[in-house]
Amino acid sequence: MDLIPRPGRATTREGGFFELGPDTKVLAGEGTEAADRWLRATLGAATGLPLAPGSGEDDVLRLSLDGELDAEGYRLAVVPSGVHLAGGGPAGLFWGAQTLRQLLGPDAFRRAPIPGRQWRLPLTEVEDAPRFRWRGLMLDVARHFMPKDGVLRYLDLMAAHKLNVLHFHLTDDQGWRVEIERYPKLTGTGSWRARTKFGHRASPLWEEKPHGGHYTQDDIREIVAYAAERHITVVPEIDLPGHSQAAIAAYPELGNTDVVDTAGLTVWDTWGISPNVLAPTDRTLRFYEGVFEELLGLFPSEFIHVGGDECPKEQWRQSPAAQARIKELGLADEDELQSWFIKHFDRWLTARGRRLIGWDEILEGGLAAGAAVSSWRGYAGGVAAARAGHDVVMCPEQQVYLDHRQDAGPDEPVPIGYVRTLEDVYRFEPVPPELTPEEAGHVLGPQANVWTEVMESPARVDYQVFPRLAAFAEVAWSDLPAPAERDFAGFERRMAAHYRRLDALGVAYRPPGGPLPWQRRPGVLGRPIDGRPPNK
Ligand code: ACM
């Protein structure tokens, strides 16, 4: 059956089949409306079949809920008279519908029917449920803007892989991407930069062309609703107090005005970590409370991401105002000032019924009980957080940073970072063995992160993300054995079918042999590159 991610249990009976045809009726039980809509819209488009509502026992696609199953679990049975799909809840039913689509063959992933296709299903039984409840993808739309249509497409690609959290990195030094009505300059000024760096760090070049764009609040409402229909939660990130130069370029009073002439700052046009960080003033806090107030109205997600990573402290060391603030607050140093920022928003979000999540730097200084951590600098932050009773999303850069190169060969398009092969991702284990079962319960799940410094177009994003996201999805969903025991060869065999699905979806993945296979030199495959990469 070549299903990806691999289901918990699946059996096929030889010989018989059920064929979806023009008379196939959908029997949609109570609570199955969303899956019914999705099936009609998506499989209806691909097959050209009406999939009309109906009744009876024969030639039916029956949808129901079964409280005995996990909320995200499902049971799928293909019998000679039709398909019976039961979900533990609407989400489980939806994931089951994704499996049904895979069983129908690659052309079920197109948006219009190819003439002459048949929609035969082998007699099959699948029983399945996810290992983790957080199966995340972080998309950085700040470094390079992804127009709304591309985000909706990625939500569809996530759904096809049973992923259920989009961590939406909306702001950074190089751009602010979400409309905030009370601060129009955040997008008016902050969403465009004059030029963009490319090339290697040793010999940088600039593309002298403005780059930018943003989502209106209605765009965000549409994205959130489109995601919700697919049982995907969108977790927005507003990065603070570092990675904030675009906001400071728009509102110079947010910066450390006694150290730099922030009125002269522009949206950043290079990569790395900007030294221009937020000033630790009440005005800054009130400003960002205003940002988060609007954000809470747009994003129903329990978690709100406040960044907190990579905040250089040099300006605070030099700023008399920041130093006075440290004294006034009774803090030891600039590190505690960073913690003060995070704790403020931790309290602020908790008081509004939400939970803060931030990059693992936020652990340095203590957190409120409900706060969670995205462990990116390896496992250590996640282990410390879980031991302290905090929930954790495991996204270590050593395994699941999909901006990093996929191969050591000379023909990777923009070979930044270290080598993270398809197999490396497949052997990623989200739960470190040193955690006790109780601590391990704090691991919400894994997340793959897509930073877009060198991904200026959707095609470049596709190339970096696929096929590795398919391996990641299996790690996030399936009950795989320990990394060394995983059947990577079997996964690769199933990938042969999955590449045909990705083809039908129009995904510009990295070809299995690399982009220019005739240049491949045996021996360099998969060999790690030593030293810091040239472009990160
Ligand atoms: C990060 O990669 N700076 C979270």
Side-chain angles (χ1 to χ4, degrees):
M1 281 178 273
D2 296 331
L3 297 171
I4 287 186
R6 196 185 78 186
R9 191 175 66 77
T11 52
T12 300
R13 262 192 289 143
E14 293 300 320
F17 62 88
F18 167 70
E19 186 169 330
L20 229 56
D23 298 323
T24 303
K25 301 280 184 268
V26 180
L27 273 71
E30 210 179 308
T32 69
E33 296 79 9
D36 183 30
R37 272 196 301 277
W38 182 87
L39 281 167
R40 206 187 321 283
T42 308
L43 289 190
T47 60
L49 301 173
L51 301 176
S55 59
E57 293 293 322
D58 206 34
D59 203 358
V60 292
L61 177 46
R62 185 196 304 276
L63 307 177
S64 62
L65 297 185
D66 177 351
E68 300 278 294
L69 300 168
D70 292 350
E72 285 201 281
Y74 67 91
R75 190 175 50 241
L76 172 68
V78 182
V79 295
S81 60
V83 178
H84 298 179
L85 178 56
L93 193 68
F94 182 73
W95 306 130
Q98 301 307 316
T99 297
L100 174 62
R101 190 189 195 186
Q102 293 201 1
L103 291 173
L104 283 166
D107 289 326
F109 289 81
R110 297 186 184 275
R111 294 194 195 182
I114 306 292
R117 291 293 188 271
Q118 288 182 318
W119 305 103
R120 268 188 189 192
L121 291 160
L123 300 184
T124 301
E125 266 192 47
V126 179
E127 199 157 334
D128 199 11
R131 179 178 173 199
F132 292 105
R133 62 189 143 141
W134 182 301
R135 305 180 298 277
L137 175 70
M138 189 219 72
L139 200 55
D140 165 19
V141 293
R143 270 50 175 274
H144 279 101
F145 179 58
M146 181 181 276
K148 181 195 74 186
D149 213 42
V151 177
L152 300 178
R153 174 175 173 270
Y154 258 85
L155 289 167
D156 280 327
L157 293 173
M158 289 176 68
H161 292 84
K162 300 186 172 78
L163 300 177
N164 71 344
V165 179
L166 174 67
H167 170 167
F168 208 16
H169 184 79
L170 287 164
T171 70
D172 217 301
D173 296 313
Q174 297 87 357
W176 184 287
R177 305 286 173 227
V178 54
E179 175 189 14
I180 301 297
E181 285 175 352
R182 73 190 78 180
Y183 308 128
K185 285 193 285 183
L186 283 173
T187 45
T189 300
S191 75
W192 283 87
R193 59 177 179 263
R195 61 179 194 166
T196 295
K197 199 190 98 162
F198 71 100
H200 285 237
R201 189 154 56 190
S203 50
L205 297 164
W206 269 267
E207 186 175 42
E208 299 286 346
K209 189 166 86 178
H211 175 88
H214 75 277
Y215 312 107
T216 66
Q217 295 208 347
D218 277 347
D219 291 340
I220 295 288
R221 290 184 184 99
E222 181 185 355
I223 287 168
V224 168
Y226 194 86
E229 183 82 354
R230 287 154 183 75
H231 302 279
I232 298 172
T233 301
V234 185
V235 175
E237 179 185 350
I238 300 292
D239 209 338
L240 62 83
H243 286 285
S244 299
Q245 185 167 325
I248 299 167
Y251 292 94
E253 64 272 26
L254 294 173
N256 294 287
T257 52
D258 56 350
V259 180
V260 276
D261 173 19
T262 55
L265 288 177
T266 58
V267 179
W268 218 27
D269 61 9
T270 187
W271 310 124
I273 304 169
S274 166
N276 295 299
V277 303
L278 298 178
T281 62
D282 286 338
R283 186 153 66 168
T284 304
L285 296 185
R286 298 294 92 73
F287 184 98
Y288 274 83
E289 286 169 5
V291 170
F292 283 115
E293 266 171 30
E294 293 193 25
L295 221 63
L296 296 193
L298 294 170
F299 294 93
S301 157
E302 177 186 16
F303 285 106
I304 302 290
H305 208 292
V306 301
D309 57 325
E310 298 179 322
C311 179
K313 310 293 187 309
E314 195 48 40
Q315 289 189 348
W316 293 346
R317 275 191 275 277
Q318 290 175 8
S319 157
Q323 290 302 317
R325 198 75 216 243
I326 287 174
K327 276 214 181 64
E328 177 199 328
L329 294 167
L331 303 175
D333 56 18
E334 295 77 17
D335 289 338
E336 289 200 359
L337 201 51
Q338 143 110 2
S339 182
W340 168 82
F341 253 110
I342 300 299
K343 281 181 177 160
H344 175 82
F345 288 102
D346 193 3
R347 282 192 301 274
W348 192 91
L349 287 166
T350 303
R352 284 155 186 80
R354 307 294 183 103
R355 292 173 66 187
L356 176 143
I357 184 166
W359 300 109
D360 56 49
E361 287 93 330
I362 70 167
L363 276 170
E364 297 155 12
L367 285 174
V373 167
S374 308
S375 187
W376 75 276
R377 295 177 298 179
Y379 287 104
V383 169
R387 288 189 172 150
H390 294 290
D391 286 343
V392 176
V393 173
M394 278 293 182
C395 50
E397 59 174 337
Q398 292 80 0
Q399 275 92 356
V400 284
Y401 266 39
L402 302 186
D403 51 332
H404 287 221
R405 66 180 78 186
Q406 302 178 67
D407 192 282
D411 50 0
E412 285 309 299
V414 187
I416 70 158
Y418 298 91
V419 177
R420 321 290 186 215
T421 64
L422 183 63
E423 182 166 357
D424 291 337
V425 174
Y426 193 68
R427 295 193 193 281
F428 165 53
E429 174 47 50
V431 180
E434 62 264 42
L435 293 184
T436 66
E438 191 192 333
E439 291 161 354
H442 284 296
V443 179
L444 298 174
Q447 179 171 290
N449 291 344
V450 181
W451 301 103
T452 58
E453 286 94 333
V454 300
M455 296 174 220
E456 69 286 352
S457 68
R460 284 281 306 126
V461 176
D462 277 10
Y463 182 95
Q464 293 301 125
V465 172
F466 290 98
R468 290 183 292 185
L469 197 70
F472 174 79
E474 191 144 310
V475 168
W477 178 278
S478 310
D479 252 323
L480 297 180
E485 277 117 60
R486 289 182 191 170
D487 178 13
F488 181 65
F491 171 76
E492 277 196 306
R493 274 194 298 279
R494 282 181 287 125
M495 276 306 289
H498 202 66
Y499 282 119
R500 301 291 77 76
R501 298 177 193 128
L502 297 178
D503 286 335
L505 282 164
V507 175
Y509 55 82
R510 179 183 187 276
L516 302 171
W518 57 89
Q519 290 185 355
R520 168 86 357 104
R521 287 173 290 142
V524 294
L525 274 170
R527 186 186 302 162
I529 305 265
D530 292 324
R532 204 54 198 163
N535 206 24
K536 270 283 272 195

